[in-house]
Amino acid sequence: MLNLNFNPFPVLRTQRLLLRQVVEADALYVMKIRGNEEAMRYIPRPRAKTTEDALGVIAMLTNGINEGKSINWAICNAQDPNEIYGIMGYVNFYPQELKAEIGYMLHPDYWGQGYVPEAIIAVEKFGFESIHLELIEAKIDPRNDNSRKVLLRNHYQFDRLMQKEMTFENEELDSEYYVKKKSVG
Ligand SMILES: CC(C)(COP(=O)(O)OP(=O)(O)OC[C@H]1O[C@@H](n2cnc3c(N)ncnc32)[C@H](O)[C@@H]1OP(=O)(O)O)[C@@H](O)C(=O)NCCC(=O)NCCS
């Protein structure tokens, strides 16, 4: 059975990063990240254009945590945890399959420094060991080469291509799915 109780919120640490809960005081950072056109290019969600939009996003993230439906972390500078580079977490759980969908994004100012590859290791460890996941799935837009690179380097395996899986802003979108199983032993 999955352990979806995230109270108290699990703070995670890596060499350069601190992963903590996103709170209302982070609204400006969340607006910059979720409002950035480049960062949102392959993420079929409305862009956060105002701090009110960002507060709406934060409320959604908070509800997900409280209801055990999702868990997202602010990816922060370990030296200054007020500085948020991006957001990452399990955006959906499938308890019957002991599976979760992982998602991640950084503000473009922080791309190319290996932050998501570093954070994903801590988030996976938490997923497999504390949530008791057996499988982590990632869904990407096939045009999102940067995201695919992160997954392949991190030993995710291609699972399937779903053509025209959804429509967003009048565009029919394909999805590629990648999976990583809990390693035995
Ligand atoms: C995908 C993403 C999370 C990668 O995170 P990251 O921490 O930058 O990962 P890496 O540092 O390993 O860089 C991955 C690749 O991004 C590319 N990249 C880095 N900086 C870049 C830049 N400024 N512009 C374009 N591409 C860049 C590089 O090709 C790099 O691959 P390389 O190591 O072979 O050169 C990040 O690009 C991002 O947030 N993208 C927007 C949100 C998104 O699409 N999320 C995934 C949804 S499924």
Side-chain angles (χ1 to χ4, degrees), residues 6 10 12 71 73 122-132:
F6 304 125
L12 308 177
I71 178 169
W73 288 265
V123 168
E124 284 173 1
K125 185 171 156 59
F126 182 79
F128 288 133
E129 293 180 6
S130 298
I131 304 179
H132 305 309

Side-chain angles (χ1 to χ4, degrees), residues 27-44:
L28 213 53
Y29 274 105
V30 171
M31 185 183 79
K32 283 188 185 159
I33 297 164
R34 290 282 296 233
N36 185 280
E37 206 175 325
E38 233 186 322
M40 293 296 284
R41 180 165 300 146
Y42 300 124
I43 298 182

Side-chain angles (χ1 to χ4, degrees), residues 44-179:
R45 300 265 188 287
R47 274 168 51 208
K49 295 188 177 125
T50 62
T51 43
E52 281 71 33
D53 292 346
L55 286 168
V57 171
I58 295 166
M60 193 187 68
L61 300 180
T62 308
N63 289 341
I65 291 162
N66 292 341
E67 293 167 13
K69 295 204 166 127
S70 59
I71 178 169
N72 279 276
W73 288 265
I75 305 172
C76 302
N77 177 350
Q79 304 301 320
D80 174 10
N82 288 322
E83 184 185 5
I84 304 183
Y85 300 156
I87 299 169
M88 150 169 224
Y90 296 112
V91 297
N92 274 311
F93 290 110
Y94 303 89
Q96 291 191 331
E97 297 163 72
L98 303 177
K99 180 174 100 172
E101 179 188 349
I102 199 166
Y104 41 76
M105 65 180 308
L106 294 179
H107 188 279
D109 285 355
Y110 305 105
W111 290 5
Q113 298 177 54
Y115 287 137
V116 163
E118 183 171 322
I120 207 172
I121 294 171
V123 168
E124 284 173 1
K125 185 171 156 59
F126 182 79
F128 288 133
E129 293 180 6
S130 298
I131 304 179
H132 305 309
L133 294 171
E134 286 292 329
L135 194 70
I136 300 175
E137 185 168 75
K139 169 177 158 178
I140 70 165
D141 184 308
R143 298 167 295 181
N144 196 345
D145 294 328
N146 293 346
S147 187
R148 185 185 299 100
K149 274 187 193 172
V150 167
L151 294 171
L152 293 179
R153 277 202 196 134
N154 205 48
H155 311 294
Y156 281 72
Q157 289 181 341
F158 174 77
D159 189 61
R160 63 195 186 277
L161 169 69
M162 302 294 281
Q163 285 177 317
K164 299 184 179 167
E165 195 185 34
M166 63 179 140
T167 304
F168 180 69
E169 293 178 343
N170 296 323
E171 203 186 350
E172 289 187 306
L173 298 173
D174 298 345
S175 303
E176 274 180 20
Y177 285 82
Y178 289 80
V179 291

